[in-house]
Amino acid sequence: MNRLSILIGLLLILFACKPPTPIDHIDVLATYDSVYTTADIQWHKQYYPLLDQQVFSIDLLSDGLAFDSAHHIVGTGVNLYLSDIFLPIEYTKLQNGTYRMDSTAAPYTFLPYMYFEGNSTGCYMLDIEESQIKRIIGFTNGYVEIQSTGEDIQMNFTLYLADSTCYHATYQGPAIYR
């Protein structure tokens, strides 16, 4: 009877310790405004010495977010970030075309979300509340179509989570490079 009591006790403990319910990414993404109001495009030149590529990143801010004087994001909203966008060496600005998420660093690609050396990098979304990061949502596949005309740029994003949930986002407005 002693073994049976221990077994029942272990089963009760096991069922009481079930993992928390995962975040429903479909509901999370549905709550975000997919039209961004601010775009900051950063040209990192030849950031990787072993690659003969130009490297860019894009910070998109939803309504409710802004950059302060130190270029930190403040407010409440969503920040869509794409790091390590690769282009051939001759370009100093983003070019018209379709950029695909890929980890090869080939021209017209950008990195998927990854956690590298203690930092988030690649393509991800920050859910920001009162200037504090509430959650990071990483994308593992997708593409962005970019069309630039003069000082303006239009970007249409189709991004996927690991569970194949799709997120669409757009930005149309000034192309601010720094």
Side-chain angles (χ1 to χ4, degrees):
M1 191 67 159
N2 196 9
R3 286 185 181 179
L4 184 59
S5 297
I6 292 172
L7 182 60
I8 291 172
L10 286 173
L11 287 174
L12 287 173
I13 290 171
L14 188 66
F15 285 112
C17 296
K18 68 179 181 178
T21 305
I23 297 170
D24 185 350
H25 290 298
I26 294 170
D27 289 343
V28 170
L29 293 179
T31 63
Y32 294 134
D33 184 6
S34 63
V35 178
Y36 291 88
T37 58
T38 303
D40 178 52
I41 302 167
Q42 300 153 31
W43 176 37
H44 303 288
K45 300 181 173 109
Q46 289 179 272
Y47 184 76
Y48 298 103
L50 300 178
L51 289 179
D52 197 21
Q53 303 273 4
Q54 297 288 6
V55 182
F56 297 83
S57 62
I58 300 172
D59 256 313
L60 294 174
L61 304 181
S62 70
D63 196 29
L65 291 179
F67 292 108
D68 67 10
S69 61
H71 210 71
H72 295 116
I73 298 172
V74 295
T76 297
V78 178
N79 166 228
L80 180 59
Y81 184 71
L82 283 80
S83 72
D84 298 328
I85 303 165
F86 300 99
L87 278 174
I89 195 71
E90 64 267 16
Y91 297 119
T92 59
K93 292 190 174 185
L94 292 175
Q95 299 298 298
N96 293 341
T98 300
Y99 297 70
R100 302 229 174 257
M101 191 178 298
D102 187 320
S103 59
T104 64
Y108 292 91
T109 65
F110 59 99
L111 293 178
Y113 173 74
M114 61 185 82
Y115 195 73
F116 181 72
E117 295 183 356
N119 295 302
S120 293
T121 190
C123 182
Y124 58 90
M125 181 187 302
L126 297 177
D127 181 10
I128 300 172
E129 190 172 290
E130 297 178 15
S131 305
Q132 300 297 313
I133 297 172
K134 183 177 166 185
R135 154 183 35 238
I136 298 173
I137 299 170
F139 296 99
T140 59
N141 200 354
Y143 60 94
V144 58
E145 296 168 320
I146 294 179
Q147 190 68 30
S148 183
T149 54
E151 298 298 314
D152 283 350
I153 193 167
Q154 180 172 346
M155 296 182 271
N156 296 306
F157 298 86
T158 302
L159 304 170
Y160 296 92
L161 298 173
D163 68 1
S164 298
T165 300
C166 185
Y167 176 70
H168 293 282
T170 60
Y171 172 80
Q172 184 170 355
I176 301 168
Y177 284 86
R178 63 179 182 97

